[in-house]
Each structure stands twice: as structure tokens, then as C-alpha cells.
Amino acid sequence: MRLHRCKIKSMSDVDTNPRNPEEPRMQLPPASFTFIVLSLRAQCEMQLGLMHFGQEEKPEPELPLARHTIDVMAILLEKTKGNLTLEEQRLLENSLTELRFRFVQISDDITKAAAQKA
């Protein structure tokens, strides 16, 4: 028995979910460092309650989850130091700065709202 080897660059190179050819397929963005940062940033914005969709009510912030995501991004910054392009480094640093600012701002708003209720 002879095994055939083929090189797969990324998991998205393999279509594991065959579909009807008439169905429209959403184009996925390329896997990249920028995509990782933007995904984590969007995740944190949702956890902070900054992003909501449609007619649903504005979600309550999940501060422990947002703090964890910010910490993950800080680790990513630390572990990639010296290995990023200037554009990638700025994107990550600016995202972290903005998310930290928003975290503090939302934490303060929650504290003030709780004090007014008391």
C-alpha cells in the first residue's frame, strides 16, 4: 500500500464540508496575524458590551472575560516582540491601548451606576 503525501499549508486549504454548489459560500479572510488581532479585539468589544447586533438589547458587559481577552493580547504582544512588522506591532499596541481605556471607562460607569442605586 502506497501513501500519497500532500502538503497542506493551513487547515482552511481542505474543504471538509462539501456543500451544494448552488449555495453561496462566504469568503473567509486569509489566516494572518492581523486577523488574529482583529478577532481578539472584536471579541473583547463584544465582552465589553460595545458591540451588539440587530434589535437585541445592549448586552451587559462581561468584565472578567474582557480582562482575560486583554491579558491574552498583552501576552501575544510580549511573546511576539521583535518578530512583528511595524504595522502589526502598531495594530496590536493600539488595540490594547484602546481596549484598556474602554475597560476602565466601562468599569467606572458600572461603579457609578451601582453607587447611584445604593
Side-chain angles (χ1 to χ4, degrees):
M1 182 170 149
R2 184 173 185 192
L3 296 175
H4 295 282
R5 292 184 180 229
C6 67
K7 185 170 182 167
I8 298 173
K9 291 182 181 180
S10 67
M11 291 301 294
S12 57
D13 289 345
V14 179
D15 188 3
T16 57
N17 190 13
R19 62 188 73 42
N20 182 343
E22 295 175 11
E23 290 179 23
R25 182 176 180 192
M26 185 177 89
Q27 186 67 30
L28 296 174
S32 67
F33 187 81
T34 298
F35 183 73
I36 292 170
V37 174
L38 293 176
S39 295
L40 288 169
R41 180 180 173 155
Q43 177 180 315
C44 190
E45 288 171 344
M46 286 186 275
Q47 293 162 345
L48 289 170
L50 298 172
M51 215 187 277
H52 57 87
F53 306 97
Q55 301 292 66
E56 68 184 51
E57 288 183 34
K58 183 178 178 186
E60 289 295 316
E62 296 283 346
L63 293 180
L65 289 175
R67 176 182 287 130
H68 183 263
T69 302
I70 291 168
D71 290 346
V72 167
M73 292 176 73
I75 290 169
L76 192 59
L77 179 64
E78 180 65 31
K79 295 294 184 179
T80 57
K81 197 167 278 184
N83 292 315
L84 300 177
T85 65
L86 184 58
E87 182 180 297
E88 291 168 336
Q89 183 176 343
R90 283 184 178 162
L91 175 65
L92 183 52
E93 287 175 345
N94 291 342
S95 294
L96 264 170
T97 299
E98 183 177 338
L99 291 171
R100 286 173 172 153
F101 173 78
R102 297 280 191 158
F103 181 91
V104 169
Q105 193 176 42
I106 290 167
S107 296
D108 288 348
D109 290 347
I110 290 171
T111 302
K112 288 176 187 173
Q116 287 178 351
K117 287 182 182 179

